[in-house]
Amino acid sequence: MGMRAPSGLPSLSRRSRILLVLALVLAALLLIGPRLIDTYTNWLWFDEVGFRQVFTTTVLTRLVIFLVVGLLVGGVVFLSIWFAYRNRPVFVPVAGPNDPIARYRTTVMSRLRLFGVGIPLIFGLISGLIAQTNWVTVQLFLHGGDFGVADPQFGLDVGFYSFDLPFYRFVLNWLFVSTLVAFFANLVTQYIFGGIRLAGREGALTRAARIQLAVLAGSFVLFKAIAYWFDRYSLLSSSRKEPTFTGAGFTDINAVLPAKLILLAIALICAAAFFAAIFLRDLRVPALATALLVLSSILVGAVFPLLMEQFSVRPNAAVKERAYIERNIAATRDAYGIGDDNVEYQDYSGEGSQSPRESPADITTIANTRLLDPNVLSRTFTQQQQLKNFFGFPTSLDVDRYEIDGQLQDYIVAARELSPESLTGNQTDWINRHTVYTHGNGFVAAPANRVNAAVQDPTAEGSNSNSGYPIYTVSDIASQGTDQVIPVDQPRIYYGEVIAQADPDYAIVGTGGSSGDREYDTDTSRYTYSGAGGVSVGNWFNRLAFAAKYAERNILFSGAIGDDSKILFNRDPRERVQKAAPWLTTDSDSYPAVVDGKIVWIVDGYTTLENYPYAQRASLDGLTADSVESTTGRPLPKQEVSYIRNSVKATVDAYDGSVTLYQVDDKDPVLDAWMGVFPDSVQPESSIPADLRSHFRYPEDLFKVQREMLAKYHVDDPNEFFTNNAFWSVPSDPTVDGGTNLNQPPYYVLIGDPETGKPSFRLTSAMVGFDRELLSAYISVRSDPDNYGKFTILQLPTDTQTQGPQQAQNSMTSDARVASDRTLLQQSNNIQYGNLLTLPIADGGILYVEPLYTERNTASTSTFPQLTRVLVSYREPGSGGGVRVGYAATLSEALDQVFGSGTGTAATAPGGDPENPQPTVEPGATAGATPPPATAPPAQGQPSQAAVQRLNSALTDVRTAQQSGDLGRLGTAFDALQQAIDAYNNGGS
């Protein structure tokens, strides 16, 4: 009986082939179609904002990288297959009827072009798609320059590590990939066509197969030798010594670095052995060379450094690592902008040596003490300034400053934005949602240092319904034509943070097909958008593209869309800046400002690097996490950095969405490189309007990163650095219930300048000792245009007893007055502590100020926080001094309790006209009488010790009665508590 020849894969019928082709075409459309639509709509969007050059440069760079890498990998794989097939044996020995290769050989021969071209094409496409994501690496290599700073080990400019080395790594990696894939492709092809036979004990290898495989293997090892050379430079960003420090340590320099050179030499020998196999039939030489390389990699590259680390370095780490810690300190300070040229250290006692009334700077600080917490008052703004259900404010408001009648005043600010997610009923109909409710209305601000009236009796139902709230100044449509405190010419807001929360966030504006003004403006008027923002949907092609983008047929068929209609999308200011400048990392908080009569969003942009030699590397999202970020949900990306600069300030017009980038750091080589990639995309610093510059704030996210670095890198001595003795910590936020592990956020404050007495707008943070709660330092950075970005660090003695934020909070809340009030308030209110401000005053003293907010505890959703009380804490001067606590309805009363009668006159009183803030006391002005000394007896009206003891006893009785469940006993205890409170307030016993 004759044996049947092995057959290939079964052939498909004509109908099956047609169906298969149609299925592949449909799959390709589903896969590629949305990407093509996004590319087209993005192209239109970049043209709208005037950054089409960014789009085209980015796309072309990606395309070129895709083609180059795709052709490299695909071409090398194709050549390896082609050479293997061309040099196959003329007669392929058949291993009998059970030959496992015969079927595959027949299949390949029947579809030779499909396999010969298809396999390289697939590898080329995949490689190109992966490689094009590294367009940043390529562009920085092409346009990067020098930093003017040499590394301490090799003497190379930092620009080599930042711009060149990543590109060389990129090229080398794809050479590795192409060679490795080509080796296995050649190996498989040789096996299928008989160049390699495994039959018999020893098998067989043709001369052509031996040469081709030797060339590919030798090339791979040669590339490995080159990689060893570049590995030497990568040691300067080594993480071997983390968490102590980043960078090459003693072991890296004295063991790993020589090992890399030894391995490089062995790799060259190994590569030569493989190339020698082209002429020698004996494969034992390359085999031995490979074994040598592997063994030396283990012994020289791993075991030797490990032994040195364990037996030489660790027992003497402080001495051995000293020089390398010094390198790490210097590099980190430079990379994060916290060097001596930018940071001023001052000794600070922590104990005041004078009365606050004797210092113009202290008077200014007290007068501008911020009582309104932007992270608490969002619902208060919403309830009192919302106007309509579809308007809203972000969950966290912002702090900015304005100069009114020559006086600088900080304000809590917010834009009254459209809140699409708040639409209800028929408001959610597509026509209403996307063509009627399109924009917000106005800018709302409130002086940060006062409320409309003090809450005198927070426990009385309804008695304080109009007290303890912000004093609003509103610039909106209704107030146009009037004398606005902060004049706004165009109050309509089409771009913002709240608007962008809608999914999808687009609006269609402009003249409709057959209707007049359509957009809601006020209850009595409608509006038609006339700004430059938006992409035209007047033609059917664009309408079709956006209908496909948003999967919305109404865009095609709605009569509300006419020839002049435009679609506004990508309306988040931060997102717009990130798209227009994809090379920037944007700050998590954009804030609104009124500049020359326009509402603009200001967004801070950062340039970053991952590998700055010897600089500490850290994750941005981890460094910036705190109690506010955890509630707002605006984290930075999980990005590892070792260099960061706030080199760009961006603005987004709230009306037309225009994006403008301004250079604010002309010494940043990374920004210089990107300005070379995208010429004219960033405006020079000289073009920044003065009004805009006056609203620049030092960005919070950058400050959080820098304070984390300063917690360690303020230390100069490597020995102290190694032992952690002098480290600081960011205090946990004491105002968050159960949030002891959440960092306290930094706070913007207006404090008096020690030299001029004038208000200075700063971002500040207290720092406590390492794993301690006592205050160790106070960091502030200026946002004033003249001294923008200058740090001042007040360092307290290492043996200080000055309380940190947690301890100050505990002292204030455990005070008898606070505890009794809290018990009464909690019966019908939710209590929330506001931002705990740390203020340096009295030539060495630390004043803590904290607002206390209450909110009626009812089932109604219309309740909102009001400022009810102000807490103050201050350490008495003198050795072992105690802590004074002030607690009152106003800051003035609380200060008088701490410093004596008269000091509170410096505080801004509740109420008043926001147009006329309390003037700042100029240097040389009369500051008032000297307060009584710390040992003075209680002033008139202040409680005696007996009253305090009686109040504590009554409070204990109330708690005991509550636990017993006896209502009669509880009522009696409350009566006694009220009598004790009255006696306490009257100063009697």
Side-chain angles (χ1 to χ4, degrees), residues 837-856:
L837 302 181
T838 307
L839 304 173
I841 64 167
D843 192 26
I846 293 293
L847 176 69
Y848 288 101
V849 178
E850 181 177 48
L852 184 149
Y853 296 90
T854 59
E855 180 181 352
R856 286 295 175 185

Side-chain angles (χ1 to χ4, degrees), residues 786-809:
D786 293 339
N787 297 290
Y788 181 89
K790 298 298 182 182
F791 280 81
T792 299
I793 299 181
L794 306 180
Q795 293 189 103
L796 277 71
T798 56
D799 60 349
T800 181
Q801 295 299 310
T802 304
Q803 292 185 335
Q806 280 283 359
Q807 294 172 324
Q809 173 81 359

Side-chain angles (χ1 to χ4, degrees), residues 17 80 196 224 275 309 354 572 576 595 708 834 986:
R17 288 197 297 270
S80 69
I196 298 175
K224 184 61 179 175
F275 290 133
E309 178 73 16
Q354 64 181 21
D572 185 350
R576 291 178 77 81
V595 179
E708 287 282 1
N986 293 330

